[in-house]
Amino acid sequence: MAWVIKMGDIKLDISIKEENNILFKRCVRKLLDSTFIVKSKDMKLYKFISRETNRQDISDYLRMIGFDVLVDTNAGIAMLKPYEADEEAVGLKRANVVTFTTEQYHLLLVLWEVYLENLGYNDENIVLRGDLIDKIKAYEVDIDSNKLSAAMKIFKKYDLVDYNSDDKSEDAIITLYPSLQFGWDIKQFQTVSGEYIKNSKAEEGIQDLDSDEDEEGI
């Protein structure tokens, strides 16, 4: 199957074998819908897009609309990203960029920490819902059950995690994907981490003050 696309002076000619036509379309639509294709979740799509010729065809196609694709074989993910030549173009909406709330960002950091702790123990990187809630409390993340559910729903949509939304028990299994490491907006990360460091220093200052007062009393 041959596709010829023309936009102004730009002409794109892509030839795709008939048996690969559906996989090509599915990969493009998956990337536009959820940003990531994760090897452990969508093996067939990942194997297709990770082949150099297929990746190049998809990349050429996406560049026509201001996007590109990155395949990270170490992490086992394919990711939609802005096309570098169009990053500064005015009027192009960055459709796959989501601005998280502070609570959601803190939760994302906790999930990434859990992911790192679990590496190498099992083929799948999973955490039980009850254990995740305990971890959230341990890190003193201020997020209630409704906000937690809303955040996890967003993370699932963008293939950062996966779980059965009907299972609300503490034993519900949450699968963590390596795409978690790519879920950051750098500016927002700097803001959130800056707030965390500021609060930590403030708490240390209070503790030091209390310690000085105790010493004076002794």
Side-chain angles (χ1 to χ4, degrees):
M1 181 177 180
W3 292 1
V4 178
I5 304 172
K6 295 184 70 175
M7 292 180 64
D9 296 330
I10 303 173
K11 181 180 178 181
L12 176 63
D13 190 351
I14 300 177
S15 296
I16 302 171
K17 294 180 180 179
E18 192 65 33
E19 62 268 23
N20 292 335
N21 184 30
I22 295 298
L23 285 173
F24 180 91
K25 292 178 180 179
R26 285 181 61 193
C27 282
V28 170
R29 294 183 183 188
K30 176 69 175 175
L31 289 169
L32 291 174
D33 182 56
S34 59
T35 302
F36 295 101
I37 293 175
V38 181
K39 180 180 180 180
S40 57
K41 182 180 181 182
D42 295 298
M43 176 63 78
K44 193 171 184 179
L45 295 185
Y46 177 80
K47 285 181 69 175
F48 178 81
I49 200 171
S50 62
R51 294 192 194 105
E52 182 61 28
T53 55
N54 296 334
R55 186 204 62 75
Q56 189 60 54
D57 285 341
I58 291 173
S59 179
D60 290 343
Y61 179 82
L62 288 171
R63 286 177 180 180
M64 297 291 288
I65 54 174
F67 292 105
D68 203 347
V69 62
L70 167 71
V71 176
D72 188 321
T73 55
N74 291 323
I77 62 104
M79 177 177 67
L80 186 72
K81 69 186 192 75
Y83 179 36
E84 290 182 1
D86 290 335
E87 282 187 333
E88 303 301 325
V90 178
L92 286 180
K93 182 180 179 182
R94 298 178 66 189
N96 68 319
V97 175
V98 177
T99 301
F100 295 131
T101 66
T102 299
E103 293 89 351
Q104 289 168 352
Y105 220 97
H106 287 164
L107 176 59
L108 191 64
L109 290 168
V110 173
L111 288 167
W112 178 238
E113 177 68 21
V114 175
Y115 178 89
L116 292 176
E117 290 178 357
N118 291 346
L119 275 179
Y121 287 100
N122 296 290
D123 292 337
E124 284 190 318
N125 198 312
I126 62 173
V127 61
L128 300 182
R129 187 172 185 271
D131 291 339
L132 176 60
I133 291 174
D134 289 341
K135 202 76 170 180
I136 292 170
K137 291 178 180 178
Y139 280 100
E140 299 181 353
V141 176
D142 185 17
I143 187 168
D144 59 31
S145 59
N146 291 330
K147 289 181 179 179
L148 175 60
S149 297
M152 294 298 288
K153 186 176 181 180
I154 294 174
F155 296 162
K156 181 177 180 178
K157 171 179 169 56
Y158 289 97
D159 279 344
L160 304 177
V161 302
D162 196 17
Y163 60 94
N164 181 358
S165 55
D166 293 329
D167 190 350
K168 306 294 184 182
S169 70
E170 290 192 351
D171 293 330
I173 295 174
I174 300 171
T175 303
L176 309 177
Y177 292 134
S179 46
L180 279 166
Q181 66 186 295
F182 299 98
W184 318 110
D185 175 83
I186 298 302
K187 290 184 179 179
Q188 192 176 13
F189 175 79
Q190 290 171 340
T191 300
V192 172
S193 59
E195 290 175 354
Y196 177 80
I197 292 171
K198 182 179 178 181
N199 292 337
S200 296
K201 287 183 177 178
E203 289 179 1
E204 288 175 2
I206 292 173
Q207 291 175 356
D208 290 343
L209 183 61
D210 290 341
S211 178
D212 291 342
E213 290 176 351
D214 290 342
E215 289 178 1
E216 288 177 2
I218 292 172

